[in-house]
């Protein structure tokens, strides 16, 4: 994708992302919120990183973004849960849960959405990616 086209695509994706507030997930029985950290993670290597992903990876994640509302609303179960322990500034520990939701888009494509919950906080969108990739699907 040409650099100007990529910039326009990225800007449109950002507008779409920030138009999302919260979406109810039947699989998680709660709302998933869309924060600036979620969009940052689509563009950068990690939530705290200032190192951008390469353009191909950014494009793939931003392309999948269009399917995120559908996946959150239509995933009927959590396909995977990962738990790890994190520490706050005072040294107190809390669990961080990463939930994986999946939905079949078509015969060639399944989209995965990662949702994060820190301690007793809200569910927050973390990332998205295709599971099965076919050139015809993308």
């Amino acid at each position: 994708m040409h650099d100007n086209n990529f910039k326009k695509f990225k800007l449109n994706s950002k507008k779409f992302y920030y138009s999302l507030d919260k979406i109810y997930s039947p699989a998680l029985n709660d709302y998933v919120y869309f924060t600036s950290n979620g969009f940052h993670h689509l563009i950068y290597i990690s939530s705290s990183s200032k190192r951008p992903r390469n353009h191909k990876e950014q494009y793939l994640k931003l392309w999948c973004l269009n399917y995120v509302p559908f996946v959150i609303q239509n995933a009927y179960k959590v396909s995977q849960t990962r738990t790890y322990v994190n520490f706050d500034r005072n040294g107190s520990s809390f669990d961080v849960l990463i939930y994986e939701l999946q939905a079949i888009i078509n015969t060639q494509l399944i989209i995965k959405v990662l949702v994060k919950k820190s301690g007793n906080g809200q569910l927050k969108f973390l990332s998205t990616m295709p599971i099965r990739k076919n050139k015809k699907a993308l």
Side-chain angles (χ1 to χ4, degrees):
M1 181 178 275
H2 189 267
D3 200 40
N4 282 341
N5 290 340
F6 180 72
K7 285 180 183 178
K8 185 184 260 186
F9 173 72
K10 195 170 165 180
L11 180 62
N12 288 335
S13 297
K14 187 174 186 174
K15 286 178 186 176
F16 172 72
Y17 181 87
Y18 284 104
S19 75
L20 303 171
D21 178 34
K22 62 183 178 182
I23 298 174
Y24 185 76
S25 167
L28 295 168
N29 196 31
D30 204 349
Y31 286 94
V32 175
Y33 291 83
F34 292 81
T35 66
S36 57
N37 286 342
F39 190 80
H40 180 89
H41 190 68
L42 297 174
I43 305 300
Y44 295 91
I45 300 293
S46 70
S47 299
S48 59
S49 175
K50 292 183 180 178
R51 202 170 97 223
R53 298 178 187 277
N54 66 51
H55 279 197
K56 184 178 178 182
E57 195 173 356
Q58 285 183 40
Y59 175 81
L60 189 60
K61 288 184 174 296
L62 293 172
W63 183 86
C64 290
L65 186 57
N66 291 314
Y67 296 104
V68 167
F70 178 83
V71 174
I72 291 172
Q73 292 170 332
N74 291 284
Y76 61 92
K77 68 177 186 169
V78 175
S79 54
Q80 184 180 27
T81 303
R82 287 178 265 161
T83 306
Y84 61 94
V85 177
N86 207 346
F87 295 90
D88 64 16
R89 291 184 176 130
N90 300 324
S92 299
S93 66
F94 59 93
D95 287 342
V96 176
L97 301 168
I98 306 291
Y99 299 104
E100 181 181 301
L101 305 173
Q102 297 178 11
I104 297 169
I105 305 304
N106 59 44
T107 58
Q108 304 297 317
L109 181 64
I110 298 170
I111 298 291
K112 172 169 62 171
V113 172
L114 300 178
V115 176
K116 180 179 180 179
K117 181 173 179 131
S118 296
N120 294 322
Q122 297 175 326
L123 294 169
K124 296 178 183 176
F125 169 82
L126 179 63
S127 191
T128 186
M129 63 215 68
I131 292 176
R132 214 170 6 166
K133 184 169 75 169
N134 180 310
K135 289 185 181 185
K136 289 182 183 178
L138 302 176

